[in-house]
Amino acid sequence: MGSGNTTLPAADSSAGPANRPPEFAIIPEPVSLLKTSGQFTLPENVIILATPEMKQVVDYLKEKIAVPTGRFVAEYTNTSAPASIRLMLNNKANPQLGTEGYQISITPTLVVIKANKTAGLFYGVQSLLQLFPKEIESKELVEDMTWKIQCVEITDYPKLAWRGLMFDVARHFFTKNEVKQYIDAMVRYKYNLLHLHLTDDEGWRIEIKGLPKLTEVGAWNVKKTGEFGSFSTPGPDEPRTYGGFFTQDDLRELIRYAKDRFVDIMPEIDVPGHSLAAVASYPDLSCTPAAVNYRVRSGEKIMDWSHGAPPIALVDNTLCPANERVYSFLDTVITQVAALFPFEYIHMGGDEAPENFWQKSDAIKALMQREGLRDMKQVQGYFEKRVQKIVESKGKKFMGWDEIMNSDIPASAGIMSWRSSQFGIEASHLKHEVVMAPQTNVYLDLMQGDVITEPKVYNSVRLPKAYEFDPVPAGADPKYIRGGQANLWTEQIYNIRQAEYMTWPRGYAIAESVWSPKEKKNWTNFIGKMEVHFKRMDIAETKYAPSIYDPIFKASRSADRQVMVELITDIDGLDIYYSFDNSFPDRFYPKYTEKLLVPKDASLMRVITYRGNKPIGRMITISVDELNKRAGKR
Ligand code: ACM
């Protein structure tokens, strides 16, 4: 099929209707939701009954309702006012709800949201908004709508207290307004922690008073476009004007903005590895004399990963553990970071520190002798313990990536388990507070679809994997699991639209993993809700990945060594139509039903996915050369 004089089949009339959307599509799934009778209709004049301590929540809700509906929304504190929405803090705490839980009761004339704390009211408001028609997401007035919602009773509270997203603003810089936009999206899914990865080889993004070169030199590199990691080395004359940084005032504004939405910001200063921007600014932080010639990385290759971890560094991107100036530098940095960020933890990185330059350093050899350190793991351990002391001396708790457990780091250190959940399981038994962020399930920089459809990254985390994320896995001591988070590294992410694309819908899946009871999670139900949220995000103009609708191409060889192609999708009820004749298929083309022989003389395969008679996937083209490559030896 697909080549020569093939007669195309008629459109398949057996294709079913579009999946019916679920009646309720709250993400993350609430603990309990009971449908009751009737519908609440938003009146022309909306009166929110609240008390002054709920101001943050009321301001948020007022804007969310007033903008799309054009209704007059007023706030009253007088309990005899004819309220349409009533926010209440429990006089006597309901222990089931904790600090972030809420109850919603909707009757035809009144919405009541109750909680122990204002954070719970805020999450109640998020669920309420998700009960409204999708047009509630509009940033402008929507005419001719009746704003009705089904009456329900909801009781809901989170499974875990730490529900995070990490945003890497170092590899590519994102502005204050872009970070706000990211926060706006995350709070809809009840995330409460934004981890800002503020420093790396490609940029130092936080103003530190007294260390001006960090942002004069360290925040700027050469703008390059394409496949990050293999860029040409910039020449000495190429302008270093790409990047940026947050002033301390910018950060105060962001912290405030986040706090108004019940989000804490955790800063990360990633040391001793991933520190080329700092070293390029202040070369005397390095053990390596050649550092005087180092420049902030612009995406050229600086690390050889072909032998696994730790990588072989081609330039020394580490701070020198044997150099006292490093500790006074870090004291200055940490003093200011601690004063700026109210959050209890400062994350000090600790991942992927290469050892090969330390092995050559006389200063490191002398340190090892003096301190009785046997290997480079212990050298990093010595560094981590000193940094932990500095952090704790500023009244903060110290957190690092799981490599900091390579030596006997005290149990007061928080562990962010990224290489796998196994490190977090071990850390929980050693009584470290643990945040689970295993790359196997929650690394948002990894590809979501077939490699030919996405900017190329070294691995994939497709949506089902993200949905399988279990932040409290078997074998862990649950008492020490603070929560879980997803990490968005931005080497291949050049703009906020792509940051959103990589975050959603996997961010929905992970929100459900950290908020909802395990027994409430259901993949089929989740996919139905996801589709409702895609439509909401269309209206909110937030980008998301439709990769779930596109097939993965698997190739193999027939007995006579011809290439065969198999198309795999992660969700049911999709029809895939294809061509090998270079034209663009639609639903009147051959439908894929089973593994296919690729016509001998074809050069391209194109596919598109439909649900019923509507195209839903993207037009995807794969070369027969690529299929041959995947199929292996001819
Ligand atoms: C990491 O992904 N290197 C923490």
Side-chain angles (χ1 to χ4, degrees):
M1 302 281 269
S3 62
N5 299 323
T6 312
T7 310
L8 299 177
D12 185 347
S13 57
S14 69
N19 282 1
R20 220 181 298 282
E23 185 169 17
F24 300 101
I26 297 177
I27 298 177
E29 185 67 22
V31 172
S32 96
L33 182 153
L34 183 70
K35 182 178 173 182
T36 53
S37 62
Q39 288 192 314
F40 169 86
T41 306
L42 197 72
E44 284 302 325
N45 292 319
V46 180
I47 293 178
I48 302 174
L49 197 62
T51 56
E53 68 202 301
M54 305 169 190
K55 181 172 167 37
Q56 270 165 286
V57 181
V58 173
D59 287 351
Y60 183 91
L61 178 60
K62 268 167 104 168
E63 185 180 332
K64 285 283 175 192
I65 293 179
V67 171
T69 68
R71 302 289 157 90
F72 175 77
V73 187
E75 171 196 349
Y76 283 72
T77 52
N78 175 358
T79 50
S80 62
S84 7
I85 300 174
R86 182 164 186 188
L87 305 181
M88 297 172 69
L89 286 174
N90 294 320
N91 284 333
K92 184 166 170 297
N94 173 344
Q96 189 188 26
L97 300 183
T99 54
E100 296 182 299
Y102 63 91
Q103 289 175 305
I104 299 181
S105 171
I106 302 177
T107 56
T109 55
L110 181 65
V111 173
V112 179
I113 306 179
K114 279 193 211 174
N116 296 332
K117 301 275 181 198
T118 49
L121 295 177
F122 185 72
Y123 296 125
V125 162
Q126 295 304 339
S127 292
L128 174 65
L129 292 169
Q130 292 190 20
L131 290 167
F132 271 101
K134 61 184 184 299
E135 289 78 8
I136 201 79
E137 298 291 349
S138 176
K139 290 179 225 159
E140 45 197 66
L141 178 66
V142 186
E143 312 266 11
D144 302 326
M145 280 285 299
T146 45
W147 299 92
K148 282 184 190 297
I149 43 181
Q150 173 61 45
C151 292
V152 287
E153 301 283 328
I154 297 176
T155 296
D156 195 18
Y157 46 85
K159 168 172 159 162
L160 292 165
W162 182 306
R163 302 180 304 278
L165 288 176
M166 189 211 77
F167 194 4
D168 170 5
V169 294
R171 267 50 180 274
H172 287 102
F173 182 61
F174 292 83
T175 64
K176 191 169 62 179
N177 283 340
E178 288 168 339
V179 175
K180 287 181 181 175
Q181 186 176 325
Y182 200 74
I183 293 170
D184 286 341
M186 70 187 271
V187 298
R188 291 161 191 227
Y189 299 98
K190 304 185 174 86
Y191 284 101
N192 64 358
L193 189 286
L194 177 67
H195 166 174
L196 282 183
H197 182 75
L198 287 167
T199 71
D200 215 301
D201 298 322
E202 297 78 4
W204 182 282
R205 307 299 182 197
I206 168 173
E207 175 195 18
I208 300 293
K209 310 233 192 249
L211 294 167
K213 286 193 179 161
L214 286 174
T215 42
E216 287 167 11
V217 174
W220 307 99
N221 62 9
V222 177
K223 182 168 169 52
K224 302 243 173 192
T225 310
E227 196 180 309
F228 187 98
S230 55
F231 289 151
S232 52
T233 303
D237 300 331
E238 287 188 66
R240 294 191 160 260
T241 52
Y242 182 64
F245 64 93
F246 300 117
T247 65
Q248 295 197 0
D249 280 342
D250 288 336
L251 288 165
R252 272 187 278 272
E253 184 181 326
L254 275 179
I255 291 162
R256 174 88 241 160
Y257 188 88
K259 196 73 200 160
D260 280 345
R261 288 155 185 77
F262 300 89
V263 170
D264 287 313
I265 300 186
M266 175 171 72
E268 181 190 353
I269 306 296
D270 195 355
V271 290
H274 289 278
S275 292
L276 187 58
V279 169
S281 308
Y282 293 103
D284 65 354
L285 299 174
S286 175
C287 301
T288 301
V292 291
N293 297 318
Y294 286 171
R295 317 294 298 269
V296 178
R297 184 185 183 213
S298 306
E300 67 278 19
K301 182 170 172 173
I302 62 164
M303 219 49 81
D304 175 4
W305 280 99
S306 61
H307 311 279
I312 307 294
L314 311 179
V315 299
D316 184 2
N317 70 337
T318 65
L319 303 188
C320 185
N323 182 344
E324 282 307 310
R325 278 192 299 274
V326 164
Y327 301 102
S328 58
F329 165 83
L330 288 174
D331 192 285
T332 303
V333 171
I334 293 166
T335 301
Q336 294 180 39
V337 169
L340 203 49
F341 290 87
F343 190 59
E344 63 186 302
Y345 274 107
I346 298 178
H347 193 308
M348 295 300 302
D351 58 320
E352 301 179 323
E355 300 175 353
N356 53 303
F357 281 95
W358 293 352
Q359 278 156 349
K360 289 188 294 208
S361 160
D362 289 337
I364 293 286
K365 284 179 197 146
L367 174 76
M368 291 173 81
Q369 192 127 52
R370 193 185 83 215
E371 299 291 331
L373 308 172
R374 284 191 309 279
D375 58 20
M376 296 306 145
K377 301 262 171 305
Q378 294 195 354
V379 169
Q380 186 176 345
Y382 166 86
F383 173 88
E384 299 297 350
K385 278 176 267 193
R386 286 199 59 181
V387 177
Q388 179 176 17
K389 280 212 179 85
I390 298 172
V391 169
E392 290 178 355
S393 76
K394 314 298 171 195
K396 294 290 182 181
K397 289 157 85 174
F398 168 88
M399 181 171 280
W401 299 109
D402 54 52
E403 287 98 326
I404 67 169
M405 292 164 67
N406 283 343
S407 65
D408 52 342
I409 195 87
S412 55
I415 303 295
M416 191 164 272
S417 187
W418 76 275
R419 287 178 293 172
S420 77
S421 292
Q422 199 50 43
F423 296 94
I425 291 172
E426 281 169 33
S428 74
H429 292 292
L430 295 169
K431 303 187 182 338
H432 292 278
E433 279 199 343
V434 174
V435 176
M436 287 290 192
Q439 57 175 339
T440 47
N441 300 77
V442 300
Y443 262 36
L444 299 177
D445 57 319
L446 303 186
M447 297 175 294
Q448 317 176 60
D450 197 283
V451 58
I452 59 155
T453 61
E454 308 267 336
K456 205 162 113 215
V457 187
Y458 60 92
N459 211 338
S460 300
V461 170
R462 281 154 61 191
L463 186 61
K465 264 298 204 214
Y467 199 65
E468 280 167 26
F469 174 45
D470 183 354
V472 192
D477 183 343
K479 197 163 93 216
Y480 289 96
I481 309 290
R482 263 300 275 271
Q485 71 173 45
N487 294 338
L488 182 67
W489 302 101
T490 59
E491 286 97 323
Q492 307 294 346
I493 299 175
Y494 293 77
N495 60 63
I496 187 68
R497 296 295 285 171
Q498 183 67 4
E500 292 175 346
Y501 175 98
M502 296 303 278
T503 303
W504 317 109
R506 290 180 296 187
Y508 308 159
I510 294 155
E512 204 147 296
S513 300
V514 290
W515 177 285
S516 308
K518 209 171 177 172
E519 60 280 9
K520 281 282 174 175
K521 286 178 69 183
N522 175 301
W523 171 251
T524 307
N525 182 42
F526 172 74
I527 290 297
K529 295 192 297 179
M530 172 197 79
E531 300 203 38
V532 172
H533 283 255
F534 280 179
K535 298 206 169 75
R536 299 180 77 92
M537 282 198 161
D538 285 337
I539 293 173
E541 299 185 299
T542 304
K543 200 169 186 182
Y544 56 85
S547 316
I548 189 77
Y549 298 125
D550 299 328
I552 301 282
F553 297 83
K554 207 168 145 189
S556 57
R557 293 216 181 267
S558 64
D560 60 352
R561 312 303 301 152
Q562 290 198 67
V563 64
M564 312 271 297
V565 61
E566 188 180 353
L567 305 182
I568 298 161
T569 54
D570 287 326
I571 57 177
D572 297 332
L574 303 177
D575 297 319
I576 308 170
Y577 299 92
Y578 64 90
S579 78
F580 286 109
D581 61 8
N582 305 338
S583 66
F584 294 102
D586 59 21
R587 74 187 178 99
F588 300 90
Y589 273 61
K591 179 156 95 174
Y592 175 84
T593 53
E594 59 182 358
K595 204 192 271 192
L596 291 174
L597 203 56
V598 175
K600 191 155 81 66
D601 297 305
S603 56
L604 296 179
M605 179 184 199
R606 295 194 208 270
V607 306
I608 186 161
T609 309
Y610 274 64
R611 180 181 285 128
N613 60 10
K614 290 207 173 57
I616 193 167
R618 296 171 288 195
M619 183 68 67
I620 299 202
T621 302
I622 188 165
S623 69
V624 171
D625 284 348
E626 172 67 19
L627 290 172
N628 261 305
K629 209 156 71 192
R630 291 185 189 192
K633 202 156 69 70
R634 259 178 235 255

